[in-house]
Amino acid sequence: MKKILLLILPIIFITGCSKQELITLEDKYYDNNTFITSTATEIDSYLENKESFILYTYNNYCTLKIPCEDIFESFMTNNNISILSIPFSEFKNTKLSKKIKYAPTVIIVDKGKVITSLNAESDNDLPKYQDIDEFTNWIKEYIVIDRGI
């Protein structure tokens, strides 16, 4: 019995505590620091081509104390990374609209699949919309920021 436990415990420890592998975005999103305005057709094409990217969908009636665009622009400038952007009215025409129902939101896509997103309706996500460090730390949980090239 002890031998079985000695074999099983390390496996549980290794698999249960392993850190998620970080995503590397497509090269075109590094070494740049702007919003890249996109259409629904372009977003769907990126998904079909299994690209990895960050997407920001927005509306024009944000009521947050600090406009989240300011936070995202600071992130892009500080980290030299570009983020795709699309108005929510256009976003509704993408394949992602089945999963994301509210704006503003930021969506992390790896190889054409949504990995995570901020929830505009969540009190837990609000600090990520309002604080550059909170947003940056959230992104760093999923994405390689400094490729070291």
Side-chain angles (χ1 to χ4, degrees):
M1 181 69 167
K2 287 182 183 179
K3 288 181 182 181
I4 293 173
L5 283 176
L6 289 174
L7 289 173
I8 294 175
L9 285 178
I11 293 171
I12 292 171
F13 179 74
I14 290 169
T15 58
C17 297
S18 63
K19 192 173 181 180
Q20 174 182 329
E21 188 174 325
L22 295 178
I23 299 163
T24 301
L25 302 174
E26 304 305 312
D27 287 342
K28 62 187 171 186
Y29 304 120
Y30 290 101
D31 300 325
N32 205 343
N33 57 5
T34 60
F35 281 120
I36 301 170
T37 304
S38 302
T39 65
T41 303
E42 290 169 327
I43 298 300
D44 285 346
S45 175
Y46 300 149
L47 295 170
E48 289 171 20
N49 292 330
K50 300 192 182 320
E51 291 191 20
S52 299
F53 54 89
I54 305 169
L55 175 63
Y56 167 54
T57 183
Y58 59 90
N59 53 42
N60 292 324
Y61 48 91
C62 182
T63 59
L64 297 173
K65 183 177 179 181
I66 301 170
C68 48
E69 286 89 355
D70 293 352
I71 300 299
F72 306 152
E73 286 173 351
S74 292
F75 167 79
M76 291 185 295
T77 299
N78 294 345
N79 296 286
N80 217 18
I81 289 180
S82 290
I83 296 175
L84 298 173
S85 68
I86 186 170
F88 193 68
S89 57
E90 175 78 3
F91 176 82
K92 291 178 184 179
N93 298 319
T94 71
K95 294 175 183 173
L96 295 175
S97 67
K98 294 174 186 168
K99 295 182 181 189
I100 308 297
K101 300 295 181 192
Y102 303 102
T105 195
V106 176
I107 306 157
I108 297 176
V109 176
D110 183 33
K111 298 178 182 129
K113 298 209 184 289
V114 173
I115 300 304
T116 190
S117 64
L118 293 179
N119 181 348
E121 300 287 300
S122 167
D123 290 340
N124 290 334
D125 284 348
L126 182 60
K128 296 171 187 88
Y129 286 101
Q130 295 291 278
D131 181 90
I132 182 63
D133 292 330
E134 290 278 341
F135 181 73
T136 300
N137 290 336
W138 177 72
I139 291 285
K140 285 182 174 182
E141 288 179 34
Y142 300 97
I143 295 176
V144 172
I145 299 298
D146 182 9
R147 297 183 302 161
I149 295 175

